[in-house]
Amino acid sequence: MRADMADPLTLFTSIGLSEQKAKETLKNDALCSALKDAIAQAQRVLGVAGVDKATGTLLYTMASRLRDPKRLGFLTDHIAQRKICTELQLAAALEFVKSHPQDPINQQEFESLCGVGVVITPEQIEDKSASVFTGEARGGLMWADGKMIKNEVDMQVCVAIHLCLSPEGIVYINIDILTLMDELRGVALNFHKPGENYKTEGYVVTPKTMDLLKQHLEFTGGQIRTRFPPEPNGILHIGHAKAINFNFGYAKANDGICYLRYDDTNPEKEEEKYFTAIKDMVEWLGYKPYEITHASDNFQRLYDLAVDLIRRGHAYVCHQRGEELKGHNPPPSPWRERPAEESLVLFDRMRRGLFAEGEATLRMKIVMEDGKMDPVAYRIKYTAHHRTGDACSTPSFVGSLEPLIILICLCVSFRRSSYFWLCNALDVYCPVQWEYGRLNLTYTVVSKRKIIKLVEEGTVRDWDDPRLFTLTALRRRGFPSEAINNFCAKVGVTVAQATMEPHMLESCVRDVLNDHAPRAMAVLEPLKVTITNLPEGIRNDVRVPDFPANEFMGSHVVPFTRTIFIEQSDFREVMEKGYKRLTPDQPVGLRHAGYVISVQKVIKDAQGRVVELEVHCCSSHEAAEKPKAFIHWVSEPQKCEIRLYERLFLHKNPEDPSEVPGGFLSDINPNSLQVIDSALVDISVSKAKVFDKFQFERVGYFALDPDSTADKLVFNRTVTLKEDPGKM
């Protein structure tokens, strides 16, 4: 069936496409035309033999993935001549022509890199699959059929599992999981190499691209360069931690550099405290910027580029008001075809302050991927900029002018092609923009506007309130930076938006604090205990290990006197089934002291509440039987304030009107903060510094709050010792 005479639907089904796939192809004019041309070319090569299903499948794949139409005939010939006969070879061929956009193509190099003429036998697959656990199977058989490799590997895995059975019948298999740094080195990422931007999907190649890439590569020396570009109008939150780890981490993992670039183009909302806090948080997470830059550093250059864009006919001054441009289908601008000379005069007047705010904007002539036309590049703002002074017009569409190799951005793919368009329209170097998915947590809000509302309403104290998930709040609560980085590693490098439960982050926190937070003893609700058989004035020193699991990691000394304090919950006047701590009929051990106490007298106040116990103390070696439990205690303690935190919101998604019809402010948990102002802690923590972390034995992990004074320490509970199953 000749391609130039056949009905397209019949033609496409004749080469093996299903009717549904053929109909879908007909809806895409470019793909339909390319596939018809490929079939016609293949028919000329094959003659009467025609195009079979295997060849047709390869032709369809080639036509749908090929980005350079001038290579269609070249690849079609190789497919029709059976030089390219597998999907793997075709993928390599497509990659080759994409990475070699200029003529002529080196035929020998092409065939070598695409496996032309290579035949893999089943015996080779069997032999090579034996080495699969060392990762060599695919590497040694590049052009082998993937399904055959999989089947062989599956069989050998079964054999391996059988051989790994222990005498107890337990299977021991070690699986290496990629760490974040492995991913960022490129093991699991498909980032382009320096100078090979044009190999990236969607990257637009212009006649000047190769020269610009060459100049850029000469300037950077092929070094990996990234940037983290926060807006200094709020505090960074947990989602930014992912961005910091990816941008700085990717550069660090590949011996590159990363800029901290403040996107300071909105002077109305920017404050110095935000600039400082952002830098502090980047450094707190363990990264040091190669250089700190500002978008405002380039205001003059951006203005000059805007003038150039107008001269080239790609931008114009528009007088539509902001309200006219809202919505998905705003009316087209009547000034779109305004002469460039006229727009240049008006743009200069915008800069000199001869228009009111909103009276004129500079718009770019481009249709965005979401269908919106002509985004605003410059608008008028009569607000003094903290670095450049008074400014009448400010850029709203700012690309990075640092000499970057790669942009790693929040997933805003509708801007990607616009960014490429802008760089190419101005004939400037165009870095590749790679997107990743936003990181969200349930039971919280991270919107700057909503956090400001929480502060204004008095629901939280400030941006660093430990109930929030800003980075300053997490640091104040006691979350180690290492735990936050580990959490980002667990989330991984994903393009899809990720919504995680807070307990996953808290689990990472426990893992770090368990190894790094020294132990101390604190009593939140004290009950006085007098040891009657210990004379007044006697003071023994008890050595307590900082890390009981490894006593070589240090210890501290606490006093043991006639008066100690225990938790009220560690005594019950009436014995209950399963209760193992102190009762009038049941002794209990004291942690680290080597003593067992037994109740002699229960003292109550006028309301009948237990206020003191008189006990007898003996060495644990002298006790008639080993106590069922050991409790913590303090003696000659220091008074402190303890702040216990729970989730700020009652529902998982406080911003979802279907879940919280009254809005996020109606969803506040009334028990999100409990303050205990008369807790007692042992003297080992008396010299602690702000943000120092401890495990208060049997209570939880705590960190010293900045509100602490010389007279009174304040501790924030970071997390409980164990995860609360009710929060999962």
Side-chain angles (χ1 to χ4, degrees), residues 84-124:
I84 293 176
C85 49
T86 69
E87 292 282 351
L88 199 60
Q89 288 175 319
L90 178 58
L94 289 167
E95 181 65 27
F96 185 93
V97 296
K98 183 170 71 172
S99 61
H100 294 75
Q102 297 176 316
D103 289 325
I105 282 184
N106 185 318
Q107 186 75 27
Q108 185 176 355
E109 181 184 7
F110 171 81
E111 295 190 355
S112 173
L113 292 177
C114 298
V116 172
V118 177
V119 178
I120 303 295
T121 66
E123 290 76 17
Q124 286 177 292

Side-chain angles (χ1 to χ4, degrees), residues 284-295:
W284 177 60
L285 290 177
Y287 297 106
K288 184 174 179 59
Y290 170 74
E291 185 179 349
I292 296 176
T293 62
H294 303 74

Side-chain angles (χ1 to χ4, degrees), residues 61-283:
T61 302
M62 182 266 295
S64 61
R65 292 176 57 189
L66 183 64
R67 293 291 173 264
D68 186 355
K70 70 181 181 182
R71 303 299 186 197
L72 185 106
F74 175 79
L75 292 180
T76 299
D77 284 347
H78 280 76
I79 292 171
Q81 295 167 15
R82 305 291 195 272
K83 291 183 177 181
I84 293 176
C85 49
T86 69
E87 292 282 351
L88 199 60
Q89 288 175 319
L90 178 58
L94 289 167
E95 181 65 27
F96 185 93
V97 296
K98 183 170 71 172
S99 61
H100 294 75
Q102 297 176 316
D103 289 325
I105 282 184
N106 185 318
Q107 186 75 27
Q108 185 176 355
E109 181 184 7
F110 171 81
E111 295 190 355
S112 173
L113 292 177
C114 298
V116 172
V118 177
V119 178
I120 303 295
T121 66
E123 290 76 17
Q124 286 177 292
I125 292 177
E126 181 179 351
D127 292 341
K128 200 64 183 178
S129 295
S131 62
V132 69
F133 296 115
T134 64
E136 296 174 358
R138 168 58 75 190
L141 297 173
M142 181 175 293
W143 308 113
D145 181 84
K147 187 174 181 180
M148 294 179 67
I149 286 185
K150 179 183 181 301
N151 292 339
E152 183 63 33
V153 168
D154 286 347
M155 185 181 73
Q156 300 221 18
V157 166
C158 292
V159 173
I161 290 178
H162 177 74
L163 295 176
C164 288
L165 284 172
S166 70
E168 298 80 20
I170 302 174
V171 178
Y172 294 101
I173 304 177
N174 294 322
I175 302 175
D176 292 329
I177 301 175
L178 290 174
T179 67
L180 177 65
M181 295 308 283
D182 287 331
E183 291 189 78
L184 294 177
R185 287 188 185 96
V187 175
L189 298 179
N190 193 28
F191 288 170
H192 65 283
K193 295 179 181 178
E196 296 184 354
N197 305 31
Y198 53 86
K199 292 186 178 182
T200 307
E201 187 76 20
Y203 193 86
V204 179
V205 178
T206 72
K208 294 191 176 182
T209 294
M210 303 313 288
D211 287 339
L212 289 169
L213 287 175
K214 182 180 179 182
Q215 294 169 18
H216 185 268
L217 205 57
E218 289 173 353
F219 182 82
T220 63
Q223 182 184 45
I224 294 293
R225 298 188 175 193
T226 63
R227 61 90 178 95
F228 173 57
E231 298 175 356
N233 56 11
I235 300 297
L236 303 183
H237 55 71
I238 187 66
H240 290 107
K242 179 180 178 181
I244 291 169
N245 270 279
F246 288 177
N247 281 285
F248 282 93
Y250 179 70
K252 183 177 181 179
N254 292 279
D255 299 320
I257 59 176
C258 183
Y259 295 84
L260 171 57
R261 203 281 310 286
Y262 293 113
D263 191 3
D264 57 340
T265 58
N266 190 0
E268 287 181 313
K269 298 182 179 180
E270 293 161 5
E271 296 183 39
E272 185 59 37
K273 67 177 182 180
Y274 298 140
F275 286 86
T276 303
I278 288 171
K279 177 176 177 290
D280 288 347
M281 289 301 97
V282 168
E283 293 177 347

Side-chain angles (χ1 to χ4, degrees), residues 331-405:
S333 172
W335 294 278
R336 196 173 199 268
E337 302 307 323
R338 168 175 266 161
E341 295 76 13
E342 187 177 327
S343 284
L344 287 170
V345 172
L346 294 171
F347 190 49
D348 180 64
R349 293 182 64 193
M350 284 175 60
R351 187 182 198 186
R352 291 189 288 120
L354 301 180
F355 287 107
E357 286 193 9
E359 194 175 348
T361 60
L362 182 71
R363 298 175 65 183
M364 297 180 290
K365 292 183 180 180
I366 178 177
V367 179
M368 306 280 278
E369 288 179 352
D370 62 352
K372 290 185 179 180
M373 287 186 63
D374 301 355
V376 173
Y378 269 81
R379 57 171 52 91
I380 298 169
K381 280 288 181 185
Y382 288 105
T383 303
H385 193 279
H386 72 290
R387 298 187 73 243
T388 63
D390 292 337
C392 298
S393 57
T394 59
S396 58
F397 194 101
V398 180
S400 175
L401 293 178
E402 283 95 18
L404 303 177
I405 291 290

Side-chain angles (χ1 to χ4, degrees), residues 630-648:
F630 287 82
I631 63 174
H632 65 282
W633 52 275
V634 291
S635 183
E636 295 184 354
Q638 182 170 351
K639 189 176 179 180
C640 69
E641 179 180 307
I642 297 288
R643 298 172 182 172
L644 305 178
Y645 299 99
E646 298 292 343
R647 289 173 179 158
L648 183 58

Side-chain angles (χ1 to χ4, degrees), residues 394-629:
T394 59
S396 58
F397 194 101
V398 180
S400 175
L401 293 178
E402 283 95 18
L404 303 177
I405 291 290
I406 188 168
L407 300 177
I408 309 176
C409 312
L410 183 66
C411 194
V412 285
S413 56
F414 71 91
R415 291 182 182 173
R416 190 182 196 184
S417 64
S418 306
Y419 183 79
F420 289 164
W421 174 88
L422 180 59
C423 292
N424 291 328
L426 290 166
D427 288 325
V428 297
Y429 167 73
C430 183
V432 175
Q433 176 177 304
W434 292 93
E435 297 89 14
Y436 61 87
R438 182 189 296 274
L439 171 60
N440 296 318
L441 285 179
T442 55
Y443 295 101
T444 191
V445 297
V446 294
S447 158
K448 296 169 185 176
R449 180 177 58 83
K450 291 177 179 175
I451 291 177
I452 289 173
K453 193 69 175 175
L454 290 170
V455 175
E456 291 174 346
E457 294 284 328
T459 304
V460 298
R461 294 173 60 185
D462 208 336
W463 290 81
D464 65 346
D465 188 297
R467 290 167 290 180
L468 297 173
F469 280 83
T470 61
L471 294 184
T472 52
L474 295 178
R475 179 178 65 173
R476 183 168 187 171
R477 185 162 172 170
F479 282 37
S481 57
E482 180 185 348
I484 294 174
N485 292 341
N486 291 346
F487 175 65
C488 292
K490 282 191 174 184
V491 172
V493 184
T494 59
V495 174
Q497 179 170 295
T499 299
M500 315 299 289
E501 298 280 352
H503 70 78
M504 296 184 66
L505 173 58
E506 292 170 358
S507 175
C508 294
V509 171
R510 288 188 188 91
D511 289 344
V512 173
L513 292 181
N514 184 56
D515 294 335
H516 298 287
R519 276 48 169 177
M521 291 190 287
V523 175
L524 274 55
E525 298 179 320
L527 175 60
K528 183 180 178 181
V529 176
T530 301
I531 302 173
T532 58
N533 61 325
L534 193 64
E536 293 277 1
I538 297 296
R539 185 180 188 275
N540 297 325
D541 287 338
V542 173
R543 185 162 293 279
V544 178
D546 293 335
F547 298 89
N550 186 353
E551 297 191 5
F552 293 104
M553 293 179 68
S555 62
H556 58 274
V557 173
V558 297
F560 184 82
T561 66
R562 177 183 173 87
T563 301
I564 65 172
F565 297 87
I566 66 172
E567 292 283 359
Q568 293 179 19
S569 59
D570 283 338
F571 170 75
R572 289 188 184 174
E573 192 172 7
V574 178
M575 180 69 175
E576 296 179 9
K577 183 178 180 181
Y579 188 76
K580 297 181 180 182
R581 286 161 282 166
L582 186 62
T583 72
D585 301 314
Q586 181 171 271
V588 74
L590 299 178
R591 288 179 67 82
H592 308 299
Y595 295 121
V596 176
I597 57 174
S598 305
V599 176
Q600 292 182 312
K601 184 179 180 180
V602 178
I603 302 171
K604 300 181 180 180
D605 62 12
Q607 287 74 39
R609 292 174 298 194
V610 177
V611 294
E612 184 179 352
L613 301 176
E614 290 185 354
V615 303
H616 179 273
C617 175
C618 69
S619 168
S620 57
H621 301 297
E622 300 171 357
E625 59 183 49
K626 183 178 179 181
K628 294 181 180 179

